[in-house]
Amino acid sequence: MRQSLPPVVLVLAGHDPTGGAGLVADSEAIAACGGWAATIPTALTVQNCHNVTRIVPVDPNGMRQMAEALSDMQIAAIKLGLLADEPTLRAAEQIIRRFPGVPVVADPVLKAGGGAELSTAVLHKLYVDRLLPLVDILTPNRFELAALTPDIAAPYDDTARAVALLSQGCQAILVTATDDPVPGNEQQVVHTLHSPDTTRQWQWPRLPELFHGSGCTLASAIAARLAVGERLPIACEQAQHFTWECLSQGYQPPSGQCLPNRLPRTVRF
Amino acid sequence: MRQSLPPVVLVLAGHDPTGGAGLVADSEAIAACGGWAATIPTALTVQNCHNVTRIVPVDPNGMRQMAEALSDMQIAAIKLGLLADEPTLRAAEQIIRRFPGVPVVADPVLKAGGGAELSTAVLHKLYVDRLLPLVDILTPNRFELAALTPDIAAPYDDTARAVALLSQGCQAILVTATDDPVPGNEQQVVHTLHSPDTTRQWQWPRLPELFHGSGCTLASAIAARLAVGERLPIACEQAQHFTWECLSQGYQPPSGQCLPNRLPRTVRF
């Protein structure tokens, strides 16, 4: 008697040829955290471990057809990554609406680790208006949190920004502060979960290197843990633990940012 | 001191949303076998665990740009999968030529597991003429072997067909007989390695189910084992062992072909 497929996480994300980030990274993180990834590419990219140099959004009709073809897999969670233009963002919205009640984890990928802008102010607004009401947990870093709340001026009031996004219909927000340390606490990375009824913080020892794909890893791990049935705060904690382990055991490529080590390279011969 | 990146396998392959086959499957197999996959998509597809319903080749200029951007990763092996039209096949040829001396494993994906044709007779000829001289090991099943040698009529003379392809410049051929059992030996799957100086066979207990992605798994595992420095016959044996384990522990999705289980789902919390 064959074992049934692990809980399926539907991933809508960009493709990164390096394997550090994007849908390949998502698939690795989801597998390592007990799920099975079904992936719909939203954009192809040209990049290396330094920066992104080109983004080509995928045909939104193709995205919809892929989702239609996957309808015989039972989707247990959805993970959203890069959405680089309006047609693919709208296709993502339509695809999410095919799966009512399925938890949605959204990582608002707005800028590459190397600094390249991957989005626009118009797209940020569309993201907030169209997608946020469908999102169970958003995982912005502090730069992305600020970009999604341009009407709030205070530079460090993350709570006010999170409350503003929660009021748009998003159920919870995990703000990561890897990119931008909270003043006075530079040795730790502080991640804060905001939801209507609670705020919770975790601290992790800051690693000295820059990494390529840490945000994808975290969001996909949360989606996988929700897919297997964990409750949100536990899923967030497990995913942070997993991500920190991947980074602390990460690899140094010949040049550029370090790459997460999401899979035990245990050869089964 | 960070560990350096595992040997990198450059994958040129199609994307399969189910994760059973294509570049996500390749990445999993390569990681499990001790490598790191860098992936260049050659085509996007619409498919499920029953069949492929649409193939959209990727812009060949984009493929070349991706390869250029990856030039700072040290490529230790190349794995070729689906090449669905002439422009992407020619782009693949140009990309392989950027990496002289790097072993090339080519899986000639000509038909989907569900029966959909993924190639044409014109493309088969181009594959033989342009790519085969660059290939270290070709991994056709018996259907693909026959399609690549249309001038040979005898239905079961695999050796004559393999010799014909070896004479085109390919260094070795591993013919898999999962798809088409050798008469009189239906309970075993027989894989045969043909090279100019030797012929070697392996037998594996035939599993009752059909699988989605077994060919991708095998070819990627060979590429990973070559990348870490194994010699060809050993790499072929290890990859067959790995693939058989993945299939025997594979998953039954809600409908359609079974999916290989390439990764231990060991959550590291």
Side-chain angles (χ1 to χ4, degrees), chain B residues 19-258:
Chain B
L23 62 84
V24 170
D26 294 335
S27 297
E28 289 184 355
I30 288 163
C33 291
W36 179 278
T39 58
I40 296 180
T42 59
L44 302 185
T45 69
V46 176
Q47 62 180 296
N48 54 25
C49 297
H50 292 278
N51 211 347
V52 177
T53 53
R54 190 176 170 212
I55 300 175
V56 182
V58 164
D59 167 30
N61 289 328
M63 289 172 58
R64 283 185 283 263
Q65 289 170 5
M66 290 180 202
E68 172 73 31
L70 292 175
S71 61
D72 64 347
M73 290 178 119
Q74 288 155 10
I75 307 301
I78 297 174
K79 187 259 168 177
L80 288 185
L82 176 64
L83 296 165
D85 69 357
E86 181 171 338
T88 52
L89 191 151
R90 291 194 181 271
E93 179 194 348
Q94 290 164 339
I95 291 168
I96 295 169
R97 290 189 186 280
R98 292 179 64 101
F99 304 99
V102 170
V104 176
V105 181
D107 181 26
V109 182
L110 306 182
K111 192 186 268 195
E117 293 287 347
L118 306 178
S119 190
T120 63
V122 171
L123 214 53
H124 299 170
K125 180 157 184 353
L126 203 65
Y127 198 99
V128 170
D129 290 347
R130 305 300 308 179
L131 293 183
L132 225 51
L134 305 174
V135 168
D136 288 87
I137 177 163
L138 186 76
T139 62
N141 59 29
R142 302 189 79 217
F143 165 82
E144 291 159 345
L145 179 68
L148 293 174
T149 52
D151 297 338
I152 297 181
Y156 282 113
D157 193 351
D158 287 357
T159 301
R161 294 179 188 278
V163 168
L165 293 180
L166 289 172
S167 75
Q168 301 280 335
C170 168
Q171 297 296 302
I173 304 177
L174 180 64
V175 180
T176 65
T178 314
D179 64 319
D180 187 11
V182 175
N185 196 4
E186 287 82 1
Q187 296 308 303
Q188 302 285 312
V189 174
V190 181
H191 298 331
T192 309
L193 177 65
H194 301 268
S195 70
D197 45 301
T198 182
T199 299
R200 195 163 159 192
Q201 282 198 330
W202 293 267
Q203 298 202 16
W204 303 90
R206 180 174 288 277
L207 298 166
E209 299 92 345
L210 291 176
F211 284 87
H212 184 81
S214 52
C216 301
T217 305
L218 178 67
S220 292
I222 295 173
R225 299 312 294 165
L226 292 176
V228 303
E230 290 289 358
R231 292 183 57 248
L232 185 63
I234 304 294
C236 285
E237 179 158 316
Q238 291 176 337
Q240 288 173 67
H241 187 94
F242 170 75
T243 304
W244 195 86
E245 289 289 325
C246 294
L247 302 184
S248 69
Q249 298 167 31
Y251 298 115
Q252 177 65 62
S255 75
Q257 299 144 3
C258 290

Side-chain angles (χ1 to χ4, degrees), chain A residues 2-6 15-20 23-24 27-28 30-41 44-50 53-54 58-59 61-62 65-66 68-70 72-74 207-209 211 225 237-239 241-242 245-256 258-269, chain B residues 2-6 15-20 23-24 27-28 30-41 44-50 53-54 58-59 61-62 65-66 68-70 72-74 207-209 211 225 237-239 241-242 245-256 258-269:
Chain A
R2 291 246 159 231
Q3 54 187 333
S4 57
L5 200 60
H15 172 267
D16 167 11
T18 72
L23 63 84
V24 170
S27 296
E28 288 184 355
I30 287 163
C33 291
W36 178 278
T39 57
I40 295 180
L44 302 186
T45 69
V46 175
Q47 62 181 297
N48 54 25
C49 296
H50 293 279
T53 53
R54 191 177 168 210
V58 165
D59 167 29
N61 288 328
Q65 289 169 6
M66 290 179 202
E68 172 73 32
L70 293 174
D72 64 348
M73 289 178 119
Q74 287 155 9
L207 297 166
E209 300 92 345
F211 285 86
R225 299 312 293 166
E237 180 159 314
Q238 291 176 336
H241 186 95
F242 170 75
E245 289 289 326
C246 294
L247 302 184
S248 69
Q249 299 167 31
Y251 298 116
Q252 177 66 61
S255 76
C258 290
L259 295 168
N261 178 1
R262 285 170 287 253
L263 297 173
R265 276 165 176 73
T266 313
V267 183
R268 294 179 291 175
F269 298 127
Chain B
R2 290 245 159 232
Q3 54 187 334
S4 56
L5 200 60
H15 172 267
D16 167 12
T18 72
L23 62 84
V24 170
S27 297
E28 289 184 355
I30 288 163
C33 291
W36 179 278
T39 58
I40 296 180
L44 302 185
T45 69
V46 176
Q47 62 180 296
N48 54 25
C49 297
H50 292 278
T53 53
R54 190 176 170 212
V58 164
D59 167 30
N61 289 328
Q65 289 170 5
M66 290 180 202
E68 172 73 31
L70 292 175
D72 64 347
M73 290 178 119
Q74 288 155 10
L207 298 166
E209 299 92 345
F211 284 87
R225 299 312 294 165
E237 179 158 316
Q238 291 176 337
H241 187 94
F242 170 75
E245 289 289 325
C246 294
L247 302 184
S248 69
Q249 298 167 31
Y251 298 115
Q252 177 65 62
S255 75
C258 290
L259 295 168
N261 179 1
R262 285 170 287 253
L263 297 172
R265 278 166 175 73
T266 313
V267 183
R268 294 179 292 176
F269 299 127

Side-chain angles (χ1 to χ4, degrees), chain A residues 157-172:
Chain A
D157 194 351
D158 286 358
T159 300
R161 294 180 189 277
V163 167
L165 292 180
L166 289 172
S167 75
Q168 301 280 337
C170 167
Q171 298 296 302

Side-chain angles (χ1 to χ4, degrees), chain A residues 61-85:
Chain A
N61 288 328
M63 290 172 58
R64 282 185 282 261
Q65 289 169 6
M66 290 179 202
E68 172 73 32
L70 293 174
S71 62
D72 64 348
M73 289 178 119
Q74 287 155 9
I75 307 300
I78 296 174
K79 187 259 169 179
L80 289 184
L82 175 65
L83 296 165
D85 69 357

